[in-house]
Amino acid sequence: MTGSTALHGAPDCIDRELAAIATRDEAFGTFARRVRDLPATNPATGRGGTTAAAPVAMTTAGEAGGASATTDGKECVAVREAFAETVAPHSTADLADDEPLVETIAAELNEDVAVALAAETGWTPTLKRAVLEEIATRRREVDVVRETLETERETVVAAIDEVDEILTWLQSTAEESLLQCDFETLRAKHDRLERYRERLDELTARRQSQLTETTNRYGPGGTRYRTLVESVYSAQPARYPLLSTAARLYGVCGDCQRTVRAHLTRRV
């Protein structure tokens, strides 16, 4: 009976997500190393010897106007190829149709970077810095997701221990005949079932509270815990395995308690 609930399959789902996150982080790490290894050409400067601040795409285009101070775009091609070989396969793995590389770059980094790399107007320090900053942001987000998944695993494992305790007792008591139990034994069973229902109530309340939390470690607008949970278990019959298991077990305990109460009534 133990090990057969939706909750018991949850750790495997989490482990798969953790493996995917580790692979994604590794891909971004490799991409970052390849980007850093590509030397950027100093942009042409104005009369004052400095360039004015501007958005990435605009700055890159403006810097390209310096002709001899820029490259022929081969570094931008190299960056796109590095992205295609490292990050893109993991980014598009779940897509049914092929996605243009520039769209994948825009989704994973940002649109300005994607446009600048596609235009091949020059691999400037500004563009290189923008790419590396976006990579760093994605890796920080990966860290948050990893920590959240680890928290989810701890939560699930603790809940499994609690559920298994209840299931083991229910299985053992199901093999007993209530007709052969005296009044005190029946009352002890009834009280124990009541405690189990209270614990399942508390487990459900804690879980509901956890689902409302937000992973906003790196600023406002973080991902809701509920969103991550739904994603982790999206391919499973129960999208909320902990809650569904707790609810079903609560009902089983209630049914057993009513049966015991009926026997208690006959003893009075």
Side-chain angles (χ1 to χ4, degrees), residues 116-162:
L117 291 174
E120 299 181 11
T121 51
W123 180 238
T124 65
T126 300
L127 180 53
K128 181 175 182 178
R129 183 167 56 251
V131 171
L132 291 173
E133 287 175 352
E134 289 298 325
I135 293 173
T137 298
R138 298 293 86 75
R139 298 192 76 181
R140 287 196 297 270
E141 292 170 353
V142 165
D143 284 340
V144 172
V145 174
R146 181 190 295 111
E147 291 174 8
T148 306
L149 286 170
E150 289 171 351
T151 297
E152 173 68 4
R153 202 182 195 291
E154 291 173 1
T155 299
V156 165
V157 169
I160 287 174
D161 288 342
E162 193 158 4

Side-chain angles (χ1 to χ4, degrees), residues 240-264:
Y240 298 96
L242 196 160
L243 290 177
S244 64
T245 297
R248 291 182 63 184
L249 193 52
Y250 183 90
V252 170
C253 288
D255 291 341
C256 292
Q257 195 175 32
R258 282 187 289 275
T259 300
V260 173
R261 188 181 302 121
H263 282 268
L264 277 170

Side-chain angles (χ1 to χ4, degrees), residues 159-229:
I160 287 174
D161 288 342
E162 193 158 4
V163 165
D164 277 348
E165 177 189 335
I166 299 173
L167 287 174
T168 299
W169 184 84
L170 287 173
Q171 190 171 21
S172 66
T173 197
E175 298 170 358
E176 300 176 2
S177 172
L178 295 180
L179 292 173
Q180 297 177 357
C181 294
D182 58 26
F183 183 87
E184 290 302 323
T185 301
L186 289 172
R187 186 170 65 177
K189 290 181 180 294
H190 185 276
D191 292 346
R192 187 163 189 168
L193 286 164
E194 183 63 25
R195 290 195 299 273
Y196 283 156
R197 295 183 77 196
E198 290 172 355
R199 285 169 58 179
L200 290 167
D201 255 342
E202 293 170 359
L203 177 62
T204 299
R206 290 196 304 271
R207 182 57 165 180
Q208 292 285 17
S209 176
Q210 185 181 40
L211 291 175
T212 64
E213 296 175 358
T214 303
T215 58
N216 57 357
R217 173 179 163 189
Y218 291 105
T223 302
R224 290 176 64 86
Y225 200 99
R226 181 185 298 273
T227 302
L228 181 135
V229 167

Side-chain angles (χ1 to χ4, degrees), residues 10 13 40 57 74 77 81 116 150 178-179 192 231:
C13 295
K74 64 181 181 180
V77 174
E81 289 176 348
E150 289 171 351
L178 295 180
L179 292 173
R192 187 163 189 168
S231 174

